[in-house]
Amino acid sequence: MTTLKRSDCSIVTLYGWLQQANFHNKLRIIMGIIIWLLIGAVAGWLAGNIMKGGGFGVVGNIVVGIVGSVIGGFVFGLLGFGSTSMLGSLITAVVGAVILLYIVSIVKK
C-alpha cells in the first residue's frame, strides 16, 4: 500500500483510490458468491450421495447445499458450535443438507 504524500491530496487522486477500493470490494463479493456456490454444490452432491446414492444435478446440488448450510448453521448454533474455515463451512452445509434430505424423505412417505 502506498503512503499518502501532501502532493497526492487532490480530489482526483482520492477519487481514484476510492474507485480502486470499490473494485476490490466488488471482487471480494464476487469471489465470496462463487465460493458460496461451490460449497453449496459440493455439500449438496455429498449429501445426495449419502442419502440416496447420487446427486441432484448442478442446480439441485447448489440449492440443497445452500439450504442445508442454513439448516446446519442453525443446528450447530444451537449446539454452540461455529465454523471459521471453508472445511468447517462445508461440514456444516453437508450435515444440514443431510438433515434437509432426511426431512424431505419423511414428508414424501
Side-chain angles (χ1 to χ4, degrees):
M1 181 178 224
T2 60
T3 58
L4 185 64
K5 295 182 263 178
R6 194 175 289 258
S7 62
D8 290 336
C9 291
S10 68
I11 298 296
V12 174
T13 304
L14 293 176
Y15 181 75
W17 284 350
L18 182 62
Q19 289 299 323
Q20 185 179 8
N22 284 337
F23 171 76
H24 291 298
N25 287 337
K26 290 176 187 176
L27 188 62
R28 281 187 182 151
I29 291 170
I30 291 170
M31 289 301 295
I33 290 171
I34 290 170
I35 290 170
W36 186 56
L37 291 173
L38 286 174
I39 288 175
V42 171
W45 177 78
L46 285 172
N49 284 327
I50 291 169
M51 292 301 290
K52 75 172 192 95
F56 302 100
V58 175
V59 175
N61 287 340
I62 290 172
V63 170
V64 168
I66 290 173
V67 173
S69 68
V70 172
I71 293 170
F74 178 73
V75 170
F76 282 168
L78 289 176
L79 297 174
F81 296 113
S83 65
T84 57
S85 66
M86 280 181 45
L87 180 63
S89 297
L90 181 62
I91 292 169
T92 301
V94 169
V95 169
V98 168
I99 292 169
L100 171 68
L101 294 177
Y102 179 72
I103 292 170
V104 167
S105 70
I106 288 175
V107 170
K108 283 177 84 174
K109 288 183 183 181

